[in-house]
């Protein structure tokens, strides 16, 4: 989806990005301001390291109400958080959904 280009999505693998996209969809449609959080177990790598990487935690939390724009789209600011290998990245992005579309697109405000 459209999340991969942002700051938080860059450090994540495909599975983690999918879960973050799912969390963002949930945050976009929820009526409250509760975060949607997922733990993503690391994919098994071919390395012989016995120390497993900790799960990655991805979260999306609405930070404002949904607003309707003149073009018929609906937008909402969402704070994205990802914690991977002990590093936490946080970014607030406004996502918009065009009328009749299910896809969320990040917009620059």
């Amino acid at each position: 989806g459209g999340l991969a280009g942002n700051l938080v999505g860059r450090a994540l693998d495909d599975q983690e990005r999918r879960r973050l996209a799912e969390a963002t969809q949930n945050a976009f449609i929820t009526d409250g301001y509760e975060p949607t959080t997922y733990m993503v177990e690391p994919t098994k790598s071919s390395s012989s390291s016995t120390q497993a990487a900790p799960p990655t935690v991805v979260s999306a939390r609405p930070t404002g109400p949904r607003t309707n724009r003149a073009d018929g789209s609906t937008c909402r600011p969402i704070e994205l958080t990802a914690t991977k290998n002990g590093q936490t990245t946080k970014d607030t992005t406004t996502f918009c959904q065009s009328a009749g579309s299910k896809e969320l697109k990040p917009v620059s405000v």
Side-chain angles (χ1 to χ4, degrees), residues 69 73 75-76 92-97 104-109:
R69 293 202 165 169
S73 63
C75 300
R76 188 171 201 182
T92 299
T93 304
T94 296
F95 289 90
C96 292
Q97 189 174 45
L104 294 180
K105 291 191 176 1
V107 296
S108 304
V109 183

Side-chain angles (χ1 to χ4, degrees), residues 11-21 40 56 58 84:
L12 303 178
D13 68 24
D14 286 344
Q15 181 186 2
E16 293 158 346
R17 271 197 290 272
R18 277 195 299 276
R19 295 303 271 171
L20 184 59
V40 183
T56 298
V58 295
K84 183 172 182 164

Side-chain angles (χ1 to χ4, degrees), residues 43-60:
T43 50
K44 301 277 182 264
S45 66
S46 56
S47 77
S48 57
S49 136
T50 54
Q51 184 64 40
T56 298
V57 179
V58 295
S59 174

Side-chain angles (χ1 to χ4, degrees), residues 30-86:
T30 187
D31 288 329
Y33 293 93
E34 291 299 308
T36 299
T37 303
Y38 293 114
M39 291 186 70
V40 183
E41 293 299 328
T43 50
K44 301 277 182 264
S45 66
S46 56
S47 77
S48 57
S49 136
T50 54
Q51 184 64 40
T56 298
V57 179
V58 295
S59 174
R61 182 178 67 84
T63 58
R66 285 185 297 275
T67 55
N68 295 316
R69 293 202 165 169
D71 65 4
S73 63
T74 303
C75 300
R76 188 171 201 182
I78 296 173
E79 179 185 84
L80 305 176
T81 307
T83 303
K84 183 172 182 164
N85 300 326

